[in-house]
Amino acid sequence: MVMGMNPFNNSQQPNLGQVNDATLMALSQQGNPNFSHAALLEQASAQQQMQRMATEKNIEVPKVNFYPSRHANPYKARKQDINQAYKLLAPTKRAFFDPRRLFRHSKYMYNKDTAVCCVDGCNVKQLIQHDNLYARITDEESGRTLWDMYWQNPVTGEPEAFIAREGVTSGRKMRATYCPEHLHLYHLLCRWEDQQDVEDEMKPSRFRDKIKRGVSIVTVPISTVTGVDTGPSHPMITKYESFFAEISADARGSNGISMQHYTNPVTGDNDITTITFDMRMFQKELMEMNQPNPAFQDILNQQAQVLAPAPTIPEAVMEGMQ
Ligand SMILES: [Zn+2]
């Protein structure tokens, strides 16, 4: 089965398995950071291998025509890539008037066998027996294969079919899976969504939403952040530990210093810490410190008249204000 439709481009674009290396290089530099050259190569070689298998073994294999967004804004490019991936990964539904859909509530075309791709009906069992492509497609960052990441039971470590879901990343589990090409796209989709979540979490509007819902931001002393439960700390962090301790101590005494931690919604780790020095707050606090309240100033002045020589007023003021 060949899927020759690309919902995003009316003009016929070659699929990644057919274009040459120079085209891939050019594509990887078109301002879409989601697609590094390595990721494109990986996708292209997956397509080539599946096509080769198709000719060698007469196995029906799909062709996934995903084409990366060329939007100049990386955030929008990723959004478009995510949308396109969702469309391409959605399980194939039966025609609306198909009697099986109407009377047997069997909405999906491929929902009976966990060895069949839910999009194209490609028989994955045959593919694996002939040549396990899942084990040949790797994540270019972690170096782990799709086989390691998605086809193992996380508890027992035994091989287990990846189960597709009705809503791609959510929804009911189907009795179907993804073929290597679709699973690769699924893997990229998950990664883009993670990246987007992390970026969204840092938007100021997200903070406002949290505060509206009664969530307050509590400063966590850095000693607990770099503690045992957060995993091994980086040597660069260890180096600055005393600095962070000082900062968090000072942050308690002044509104001009604030430290914020951004937690990764997926791993729960504290990924990003920012420290803010607010000069306006420092100046305001300094002004307040230099202007004791009038009643206290009167007492000080009286004391100055009684005692001779007079104590140095600024110091006394400082103490009195504590
Ligand atoms: Zn497929």
Side-chain angles (χ1 to χ4, degrees):
M1 175 177 294
V2 172
M3 297 196 9
M5 272 242 318
N6 184 340
F8 286 79
N9 289 287
N10 293 329
S11 61
Q12 276 290 309
Q13 275 177 319
N15 93 351
L16 289 177
Q18 293 162 344
V19 296
N20 64 22
D21 196 43
T23 316
L24 285 182
M25 188 52 110
L27 196 59
S28 71
Q29 284 163 0
Q30 253 167 9
N32 186 341
N34 304 323
F35 265 98
S36 63
H37 186 230
L40 280 169
L41 270 184
E42 197 67 47
Q43 217 190 12
S45 89
Q47 296 196 343
Q48 280 162 1
Q49 286 174 17
M50 281 186 69
Q51 297 311 315
R52 178 180 53 76
M53 204 178 281
T55 44
E56 275 176 16
K57 292 287 280 185
N58 290 322
I59 301 174
E60 283 193 341
V61 296
K63 220 192 274 179
V64 182
N65 285 310
F66 181 88
Y67 218 73
S69 165
R70 299 184 188 191
H71 204 291
N73 177 334
Y75 187 84
K76 286 185 178 158
R78 184 171 56 213
K79 260 215 151 112
Q80 288 181 346
D81 285 346
I82 289 174
N83 287 341
Q84 194 190 163
Y86 267 110
K87 284 194 179 146
L88 292 175
L89 290 170
T92 308
K93 286 179 184 166
R94 293 188 195 281
F96 188 74
F97 293 110
D98 190 310
R100 282 167 293 188
R101 182 164 173 184
L102 285 175
F103 301 114
R104 284 198 230 151
H105 301 286
S106 165
K107 194 169 159 190
Y108 296 100
M109 195 90 91
Y110 310 108
N111 198 9
K112 281 205 190 82
D113 188 346
T114 52
V116 164
C117 176
C118 68
V119 182
D120 46 55
C122 159
N123 190 324
V124 168
K125 210 190 291 168
Q126 281 179 303
L127 280 183
I128 293 174
Q129 278 166 350
H130 178 59
D131 184 0
N132 189 351
L133 280 187
Y134 293 105
R136 300 239 241 131
I137 302 174
T138 53
D139 179 288
E140 87 272 7
E141 267 176 33
S142 68
R144 296 182 71 204
T145 66
L146 292 179
W147 184 254
D148 293 338
M149 291 185 286
Y150 296 103
W151 279 73
Q152 319 285 322
N153 182 310
V155 181
T156 62
E158 305 249 318
E160 194 179 79
F162 173 82
I163 304 294
R165 285 174 180 270
E166 287 184 1
V168 183
T169 51
S170 62
R172 277 187 298 180
K173 285 189 169 182
M174 302 190 58
R175 289 190 60 79
T177 187
Y178 283 126
C179 65
E181 266 202 69
H182 276 117
L183 190 63
H184 187 223
L185 184 58
Y186 175 86
H187 173 64
L188 292 172
L189 169 67
C190 294
R191 238 179 41 192
W192 298 331
E193 284 200 322
D194 289 352
Q195 291 166 353
Q196 198 182 354
D197 281 350
V198 171
E199 277 178 33
D200 284 349
E201 194 66 19
M202 283 157 58
K203 280 187 186 166
S205 59
R206 194 61 76 92
F207 275 112
R208 274 204 303 277
D209 290 349
K210 277 186 192 168
I211 289 162
K212 270 186 208 153
R213 272 179 234 142
V215 179
S216 57
I217 313 291
V218 181
T219 306
V220 182
I222 198 71
S223 55
T224 62
V225 173
T226 53
V228 196
D229 51 347
T230 53
S233 68
H234 195 270
M236 280 303 273
I237 302 290
T238 325
K239 183 181 158 195
Y240 290 109
E241 229 164 61
S242 55
F243 166 74
F244 276 112
E246 211 170 314
I247 287 287
S248 52
D250 288 352
R252 266 173 254 137
S254 166
N255 288 326
I257 302 174
S258 61
M259 197 150 77
Q260 273 163 340
H261 304 281
Y262 301 98
T263 315
N264 184 324
V266 180
T267 62
D269 289 342
N270 175 64
D271 279 354
I272 296 165
T273 303
T274 63
I275 291 161
T276 316
F277 293 101
D278 190 337
M279 188 49 97
R280 293 163 308 172
M281 290 309 288
F282 286 146
Q283 280 167 344
K284 186 168 164 275
E285 282 171 354
L286 194 68
M287 289 266 284
E288 284 169 352
M289 221 184 263
N290 289 337
Q291 288 173 347
N293 65 59
F296 187 59
Q297 191 63 47
D298 286 347
I299 299 169
L300 284 178
N301 289 342
Q302 284 166 16
Q303 285 293 309
Q305 284 164 9
V306 174
L307 298 167
T312 50
I313 289 169
E315 253 178 46
V317 171
M318 298 273 274
E319 273 172 29
M321 288 303 289
Q322 293 297 305

